[in-house]
């Protein structure tokens, strides 16, 4: 079976609902660098992802590059209850989104492990460390992540290390670092699916290669 590696960490950040801990500001964009290893095939990978999060519009988007070097844009439009995966700017896969929008927060099940100062003390970047175990179907993931508090009670994630496995022995690990946060989205067209997403026949034209690309990114 295939586990969506990069998504696991992002999931912690975007889809577990909040009760008490801090949450991301209502509008965020930034970049995540992920470095991972998949036991199956002993593959190491490195991936850069740009992410966009808008709580008011209930939209989340991620832009990354798949293994064939094609750009993959993944739009979650919770207000329209649709998810669009656009590969290479040309191929669009539209699916229904059943779950409601959830704020991006430190999940209440995360265990606080204490605070530290990242790097040297010159900039005095305080981070809070958490551990979190999550289970998604057959997959269990153990992760440690760091967040940095902001004025006003919000926070943003700094980095995460995750280790996942399923019952069949499939394992992966991933380290991700988050950077270049900005608290406005200047170009909201990132949430706008291209016109071919509205053409019902489009998914029929997928090439085998494109399909294998999706497998890496689908849930
Ligand atoms: C990717 O897009 C380019 C044009 O933008 C096109 O020529 C190429 O065939 C596309 N590749 C795939 C695999 O669809
Ligand atoms: C997560 O699971 C591991 C291994 O089962 C355990 O050692 C650890 O204490 C758990 N951590 C949390 C925060 O539940
Ligand atoms: C981060 O921001 C800096 C300054 O705006 C820019 O030069 C750099 O390319 C950005 N890096 C990434 C990975 O987005
Ligand atoms: C579209 O995406 C869904 C969910 O990721 C996936 O199950 C389905 O196979 C995809 N359809 C095509 C034609 O790739």
């Amino acid at each position: 079976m295939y586990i969506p590696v990069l998504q696991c960490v992002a999931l912690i950040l975007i889809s577990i609902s909040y009760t008490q801990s801090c949450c991301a500001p209502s509008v965020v964009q930034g970049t995540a660098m992920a470095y991972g290893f998949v036991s199956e095939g002993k593959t190491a990978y490195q991936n850069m992802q740009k992410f966009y999060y808008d709580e008011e519009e209930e939209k989340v988007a991620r832009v990354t590059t798949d293994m064939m070097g094609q750009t993959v844009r993944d739009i979650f439009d919770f207000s329209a209850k649709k998810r669009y995966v656009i590969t290479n700017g040309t191929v669009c896969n539209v699916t229904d989104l059943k779950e409601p929008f959830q704020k991006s927060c430190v999940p209440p099940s995360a265990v606080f492990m204490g605070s530290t100062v990242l790097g040297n003390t010159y900039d005095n970047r305080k981070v809070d460390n958490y551990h979190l175990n999550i289970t998604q179907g057959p997959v269990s993931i153990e992760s440690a992540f760091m967040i940095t508090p902001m004025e006003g009670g919000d926070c943003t994630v700094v980095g995460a290390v995750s280790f996942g496995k399923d019952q069949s022995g499939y394992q992966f690990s991933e380290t991700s670092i988050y950077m270049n946060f900005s608290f406005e989205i200047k170009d909201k067209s990132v949430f706008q699916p291209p016109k071919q997403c509205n053409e019902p026949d489009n998914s029929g034209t997928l090439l085998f290669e494109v399909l294998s690309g999706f497998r890496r990114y689908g849930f």
Side-chain angles (χ1 to χ4, degrees), residues 7 58-63 71-87 91-97 189-199 202 214 217 219:
Q7 261 47 344
E58 302 197 333
K59 289 175 183 160
V60 176
R62 307 189 280 232
V63 181
T71 300
V72 179
R73 182 155 58 107
D74 199 350
I75 305 168
F76 296 78
D77 183 342
F78 291 93
S79 57
K81 297 186 164 47
K82 292 281 179 206
R83 177 180 176 193
Y84 307 91
V85 181
I86 302 113
T87 306
V91 181
C92 183
N93 181 0
V94 187
T95 45
D96 290 333
L97 266 184
S189 69
V190 72
F191 294 131
Q192 195 62 50
K195 63 177 185 326
Q196 54 267 50
C197 291
N198 299 321
E199 292 165 13
N202 194 282
F214 273 133
Y217 291 97
F219 284 105

Side-chain angles (χ1 to χ4, degrees), residues 49-67:
Q49 180 179 144
K50 293 200 184 292
F51 56 87
Y52 305 83
Y53 169 87
D54 190 325
E55 194 179 299
E56 286 130 41
E57 297 202 11
E58 302 197 333
K59 289 175 183 160
V60 176
R62 307 189 280 232
V63 181
T64 187
T65 305
D66 70 9
M67 285 172 291

Side-chain angles (χ1 to χ4, degrees), residues 5 36-46 67 171-173:
V5 177
F37 185 79
V38 182
S39 66
E40 199 176 44
K42 299 189 167 44
T43 327
Y45 66 93
Q46 180 178 326
M67 285 172 291
Q171 299 183 334
F172 73 88
S173 65

Side-chain angles (χ1 to χ4, degrees), residues 109-111 113 130-133 141-143 165:
S109 52
V111 178
M113 304 300 286
Y130 288 86
H131 277 180
L132 176 69
N133 290 347
I141 299 166
E142 264 181 71
S143 69
K165 58 175 190 268

Side-chain angles (χ1 to χ4, degrees), residues 100-163:
F101 178 81
Q102 292 188 306
K103 280 167 72 80
S104 172
C105 299
V106 173
S109 52
V111 178
F112 179 61
M113 304 300 286
S115 301
T116 45
V117 172
L118 201 57
N120 63 48
T121 52
Y122 187 76
D123 289 328
N124 211 26
R125 170 64 65 200
K126 177 179 164 286
V127 297
D128 295 335
N129 301 292
Y130 288 86
H131 277 180
L132 176 69
N133 290 347
I134 50 180
T135 304
Q136 287 184 306
V139 185
S140 59
I141 299 166
E142 264 181 71
S143 69
F145 63 94
M146 277 181 219
I147 58 120
T148 191
M150 296 170 68
E151 275 174 38
D154 291 339
C155 60
T156 57
V157 65
V158 176
V161 181
S162 304
F163 172 72

